[in-house]
Amino acid sequence: MDKKDNNTLSQGIFKNPSKDIPAGIVVFLVALPLCLGIALASGAPLISGLISGMIGGLVIGLLSRSHTSVSGPAASLSAVVLVAIQLLGSFQVFLLALMIGGLIQIALGFLKAGAIADYIPTNIIKGLLAAIGLILVFSQLPYAVGVEIDDSRLLDYSKDTFAGFEERVLMVVSSIAPGALVLSIISLGIMIFWDKTPLKRLKLFPPSLFVVILGVALNQLFKVFVPELFLEGVHLVNIPEVSQFSSLFTFPDFAAISNGKVWTYAFTIAIIGSIATLLNLEATDNLDPHKRRSPPNQELVAQGVGNTLTGLLGGIPITSVIVRSSVNIEAGAESKLSTLIHGFLLTISVLFLSNIINLIPLASLASILLLVGYKLTSFHMIRQMYHKGWPQFLPFAVTIIGILLTDVLLGVLIGSAISVFFLLRSNFHNPYFIETTNPTNKKKTIRLELSNEVSFLNKPAIKRTLWNLPKGSKVIVDASFSSYIEPDIIEIFKDYKQTFAVENNIDFSILGMGENLSSKKKIILDRKDTQDRTDLNSPQKILNFLEEGNKRYTDGDLVSRRYQNKKLKDFIKVDPLAVMVNCIDMREPLNMLMNTGIGDLIPLKVAGNLLDRHLIESIEISCRKQKARLILIMGNTSNKLILSSLKKILENPDSCSPLLVPAINEKFFKPEQLTKANLEEWSERLMAWNLEFSKNLILSQNQYLNHEISLGKIGLCTAIFDRKSGKIEFSPLHISEKVTNNNP
């Protein structure tokens, strides 16, 4: 690391000491019983848990680039450690396996195995957080009320959370320690209502640190004034005293390097520890209020260095720990300075401060963890996940239940399996888009547009659809937009075309692939059914192209032209073909009606197809600046706007809609000619007249367009869309009687 990196690191760590230092103290206080409890659950010496806590805070805290993650003894590996120590014969041989496991983790980091974290679904991460929250609540309630469940008051994560649940309930009811209950109620009340009291002005004391100090003070007052509330012995933190510094460490037995079981457990520790770290790291990043992302590969290297060192010095496996990390974030930590302080305080407490630390009531620490657990298992989050639907909620719920009934890793794997099931189910249902393009005809045309990638997972859906199509239908499979089609799918198409389609009189064709249905992995598009844009270099060719597209629409032979527009920037690189003027009454998609690509047409909407000066200027800009080479003014049958205007005349002869004024002024239409019997006839006649009127208006009012049209550089025509049949009747291109030589 160069000097510049050191300066940047220092500035980042010491940017918010007023928040990080108190947070580090709180995490240290929470980490103490966790370190001891996990060591006990692992069947290792109690001091080994503290060694791992110190290395997790100081070494991994320094090497990690996570701002809020805190590492320490791994509860997820406690069962593995317990069995490994027994089978390997001694704690020293186990330390050798742990050291090798750390080296394997370093290798995984350099091999960029941390990328697996990016593939963990968010609902699984939220399920993990909610489950950890519930475990905290269940495990801390006895401590909060002063009930001793086991021989030890330490946290034991190696046992089933619900084991002996009824016994615990009876024990809680019969043996509550009043002093612990009082401290818990006071502590929870202070933390919950902290922001509504004058205490919030204590910037250097977060509520969690304040309640710990208050708990010690109140318990000492209980000793003097209310002895029956005084807590001692198993109700307090208990750090073993260290007589000599050298007695802290235990070293690995290198003579067992050739033992196959050592290597087996080394890989087990490395794999499980790495997965647990990545899960907790992703969960911690989700809790970070700044939503900063931690580099997973760097984290694996840091964890590997930490586990190698803890194996050399007599610790137990280390991972990123979500409980400490969530407490760290809740306490207001902004950088990893809080992690380093927590590691430093663990070291100091082991060496010099055991007598002071042992005064802290466990009820005060339990209150902090109860509140953290409640926030992790937020009812708002559960409700939010439920409203996202079963594909999101069910894996979330299964993850919670799986973790509570088994352990973290197995629960996450079960939840992930459910998530994969919904993913496969989604692929099963969505390999294509299907539509019937001409349902009014006797011979139905059914079009299946395949998705971008079609894999073997889509086989059941495709087979079910094809083999259930009606006899005598026309089937078009459009693969124009597909970049990959599994060879198995191509074989299905071959079999269907050669046998089932023939026997059931089904006209089966595929667009976007060669006739031989090549089974190459990369599909080569067959573009013989598409028009090369470079050929559309004249108004007449563009008009022919639009006529052909409309015929494809009415015949049900639409060609997907989306392959021309895979990127948005493609739309603006290619000149548009035509500017389309149609009535605001017409809402049918122009691209589908004429089978054009996105961006081929510039649509302009106007009431009743009547143009004015401003719209004609827009048409000029479309042709002059955007290079459109065809102006198409298109009306539609059953025009509701014109029909409504005519009905108003029947109701009130003195009324006259602006849509009818030009026709009345030109004496094409006289209101007295209108009757109920000829209402629809006049609607169609006026629609067609308005088209011609607007066409002539363009020629008479815009010199540039008139000149370009007369030279044949821009085409001008009208068209009428029949809403019943879908067919568009195009007029021939306008031909000027004489060419003007005045260049505008």
Side-chain angles (χ1 to χ4, degrees):
M1 185 180 291
D2 58 24
K3 185 176 180 180
K4 182 179 179 181
D5 291 333
N6 277 321
N7 291 337
T8 303
L9 181 64
S10 299
Q11 291 173 1
I13 289 179
F14 296 105
K15 189 176 181 180
N16 291 290
S18 61
K19 294 183 178 180
D20 290 329
I21 293 174
I25 297 173
V26 172
V27 176
F28 151 68
L29 295 173
V30 170
L32 264 175
L34 287 173
C35 290
L36 298 170
I38 293 170
L40 181 70
S42 302
L46 290 182
I47 198 66
S48 66
L50 294 172
I51 291 173
S52 294
M54 291 185 283
I55 293 174
L58 294 173
V59 178
I60 297 179
L62 187 62
L63 296 178
S64 172
R65 289 172 60 187
S66 173
H67 298 277
T68 53
S69 174
V70 183
S71 297
S76 56
L77 279 164
S78 59
V80 174
V81 175
L82 183 65
V83 175
I85 293 174
Q86 294 173 354
L87 293 181
L88 293 175
S90 71
F91 183 61
Q92 289 80 1
V93 176
F94 165 76
L95 291 178
L96 178 63
L98 176 56
M99 186 197 74
I100 296 173
L103 295 174
I104 294 172
Q105 277 189 298
I106 295 174
L108 290 174
F110 283 114
L111 292 173
K112 301 189 182 303
I116 189 176
D118 295 329
Y119 296 96
I120 302 172
T122 302
N123 54 350
I124 302 300
I125 298 298
K126 290 184 177 180
L128 165 65
L129 292 173
I132 294 296
L134 289 173
I135 289 174
L136 284 176
V137 171
F138 293 146
S139 62
Q140 296 306 304
L141 273 175
Y143 299 94
V145 296
V147 176
E148 183 178 1
I149 295 177
D150 304 311
D151 294 335
S152 169
R153 299 296 300 166
L154 303 173
L155 298 178
D156 185 354
Y157 283 96
S158 65
K159 296 185 177 181
D160 187 345
T161 304
F162 295 106
F165 185 72
E166 293 183 5
E167 180 185 351
R168 295 186 186 193
V169 173
L170 293 175
M171 193 178 297
V172 166
V173 174
S174 61
S175 58
I176 291 176
L181 183 60
V182 170
L183 286 181
S184 296
I185 293 174
I186 293 174
S187 299
L188 286 172
I190 289 174
M191 289 187 290
I192 292 172
F193 299 104
W194 179 268
D195 289 334
K196 298 180 180 180
T197 67
L199 293 172
K200 67 179 180 180
R201 298 173 184 172
L202 300 174
K203 300 298 183 182
L204 294 179
F205 285 89
S208 45
L209 177 58
F210 181 84
V211 298
V212 170
I213 297 173
L214 180 64
V216 173
L218 286 177
N219 195 44
Q220 296 306 310
L221 291 175
F222 290 160
K223 183 178 181 180
V224 177
F225 299 105
V226 194
E228 59 269 21
L229 296 182
F230 177 64
L231 299 173
E232 58 183 337
V234 294
H235 297 288
L236 304 177
V237 172
N238 182 21
I239 300 178
E241 293 187 12
V242 178
S243 57
Q244 294 182 349
F245 183 75
S246 59
S247 64
L248 278 173
F249 306 117
T250 304
F251 302 103
D253 182 2
F254 289 98
I257 190 72
S258 60
N259 187 339
K261 292 182 180 179
V262 169
W263 289 90
T264 299
Y265 279 106
F267 276 99
T268 302
I269 291 169
I271 299 302
I272 296 178
S274 297
I275 294 174
T277 287
L278 294 175
L279 285 170
N280 291 326
L281 189 69
E282 187 74 12
T284 301
D285 286 346
N286 283 344
L287 291 176
D288 183 3
H290 303 294
K291 300 303 176 186
R292 294 166 290 191
R293 311 312 296 173
S294 305
N297 296 313
Q298 175 69 25
E299 188 67 24
L300 287 182
V301 172
Q303 296 289 335
V305 172
N307 277 317
T308 301
L309 191 58
T310 197
L312 284 170
L313 298 179
I316 53 178
I318 301 172
T319 66
S320 171
V321 183
I322 188 60
V323 175
R324 302 179 197 205
S325 302
S326 56
V327 170
N328 189 35
I329 294 170
E330 180 64 26
E334 291 288 335
S335 75
K336 61 182 181 180
L337 176 61
S338 60
T339 302
L340 295 170
I341 288 174
H342 127 271
F344 173 75
L345 291 177
L346 278 174
T347 306
I348 296 300
S349 65
V350 170
L351 297 177
F352 309 112
L353 302 178
S354 59
N355 291 333
I356 297 175
I357 300 300
N358 288 343
L359 294 175
I360 299 174
L362 287 175
S364 297
L365 299 180
S367 300
I368 297 172
L369 293 174
L370 279 175
L371 190 60
V372 171
Y374 173 77
K375 290 185 177 181
L376 288 177
T377 317
S378 164
F379 291 113
H380 172 72
M381 180 184 67
I382 295 174
R383 185 169 59 250
Q384 188 181 54
M385 293 301 298
Y386 177 76
H387 288 308
K388 287 184 177 181
W390 289 109
Q392 287 291 314
F393 180 74
L394 196 57
F396 164 78
V398 169
T399 300
I400 296 175
I401 297 171
I403 291 174
L404 293 178
L405 296 180
T406 57
D407 56 46
V408 171
L409 289 177
L410 189 55
V412 167
L413 289 175
I414 295 172
S416 298
I418 301 298
S419 187
V420 169
F421 166 77
F422 279 106
L423 175 64
L424 296 179
R425 185 171 177 268
S426 175
N427 275 280
F428 179 83
H429 286 294
N430 296 301
Y432 53 78
F433 168 76
I434 185 170
E435 66 174 346
T436 303
T437 54
N438 57 343
T440 57
N441 295 352
K442 290 184 178 180
K443 187 173 183 178
K444 290 186 177 181
T445 299
I446 300 166
R447 179 172 170 269
L448 282 75
E449 184 175 307
L450 300 182
S451 58
N452 184 256
E453 293 188 5
V454 186
S455 71
F456 71 94
L457 298 173
N458 306 131
K459 283 174 62 177
I462 290 176
K463 290 178 70 174
R464 185 182 68 249
T465 300
L466 289 178
W467 265 262
N468 284 285
L469 293 176
K471 294 181 179 181
S473 57
K474 182 176 182 179
V475 179
I476 299 172
V477 175
D478 190 347
S480 301
F481 192 55
S482 299
S483 60
Y484 173 78
I485 299 179
E486 188 81 22
D488 287 358
I489 304 299
I490 296 175
E491 289 300 319
I492 291 174
F493 291 151
K494 281 184 178 180
D495 293 341
Y496 187 83
K497 182 175 183 178
Q498 295 170 1
T499 56
F500 190 86
V502 174
E503 294 172 1
N504 290 274
N505 192 29
I506 294 176
D507 183 2
F508 182 79
S509 59
I510 297 182
L511 302 177
M513 294 172 60
E515 289 296 327
N516 61 346
L517 298 181
S518 171
S519 60
K520 294 179 181 179
K521 285 191 175 181
K522 288 293 181 182
I523 299 302
I524 300 175
L525 297 180
D526 177 15
R527 302 195 179 185
K528 65 181 182 180
D529 293 319
T530 64
Q531 179 80 42
D532 188 348
R533 289 291 298 258
T534 58
D535 291 341
L536 303 176
N537 52 15
S538 71
Q540 186 61 55
K541 288 183 178 180
I542 293 173
L543 180 59
N544 294 341
F545 176 73
L546 299 180
E547 289 177 331
E548 172 204 337
N550 180 246
K551 186 175 185 304
R552 286 186 177 278
Y553 172 76
T554 55
D555 292 344
D557 290 336
L558 287 177
V559 174
S560 174
R561 303 191 189 278
R562 291 191 293 168
Y563 65 85
Q564 298 172 345
N565 306 295
K566 288 182 180 178
K567 296 181 180 178
L568 185 61
K569 62 183 180 182
D570 292 340
F571 302 163
I572 58 176
K573 282 185 176 180
V574 182
D575 295 337
L577 299 178
V579 53
M580 297 284 303
V581 181
N582 62 320
C583 182
I584 57 176
D585 174 64
M586 181 178 170
R587 299 173 61 187
E588 289 83 352
L590 298 175
N591 291 102
M592 181 175 288
L593 292 179
M594 286 170 279
N595 199 197
T596 58
I598 299 173
D600 285 345
L601 306 177
I602 301 176
L604 293 179
K605 295 283 189 178
V606 59
N609 299 108
L610 285 175
L611 292 174
D612 59 18
R613 180 172 57 84
H614 297 292
L615 281 169
I616 293 175
E617 288 178 358
S618 296
I619 295 173
E620 178 187 342
I621 293 172
S622 299
C623 296
R624 185 195 288 266
K625 301 295 184 182
Q626 296 184 288
K627 307 302 180 184
R629 283 155 290 173
L630 177 66
I631 303 169
L632 180 60
I633 309 171
M634 187 166 73
N636 56 277
T637 59
S638 304
N639 191 303
K640 295 179 182 178
L641 294 182
I642 296 177
L643 195 62
S644 176
S645 299
L646 293 174
K647 287 180 179 179
K648 287 182 179 179
I649 289 181
L650 286 178
E651 295 170 359
N652 182 10
D654 294 331
S655 66
C656 184
S657 168
L659 300 182
L660 306 178
V661 170
I664 294 174
N665 291 341
E666 295 293 328
K667 303 190 184 307
F668 174 76
F669 170 67
K670 297 179 180 179
E672 56 268 21
Q673 296 175 310
L674 187 64
T675 64
K676 287 185 178 181
N678 62 16
L679 187 66
E680 292 187 2
E681 177 188 348
W682 269 111
S683 174
E684 303 301 319
R685 291 179 63 186
L686 285 167
M687 177 269 296
W689 187 89
N690 285 352
L691 295 178
E692 290 298 319
F693 177 80
S694 293
K695 184 180 78 170
N696 293 328
L697 211 60
I698 291 174
L699 296 170
S700 62
Q701 291 194 3
N702 192 285
Q703 187 179 5
Y704 169 79
L705 292 176
N706 187 1
H707 181 264
E708 296 296 303
I709 291 169
S710 64
L711 294 177
K713 294 181 179 180
I714 295 176
L716 175 63
C717 68
T718 61
I720 297 176
F721 167 61
D722 188 337
R723 278 180 157 163
K724 291 183 179 180
S725 65
K727 187 176 181 180
I728 300 175
E729 290 289 346
F730 295 87
S731 73
L733 290 177
H734 173 80
I735 300 176
S736 299
E737 295 182 0
K738 64 177 182 177
V739 178
T740 178
N741 292 322
N742 296 327
N743 195 1

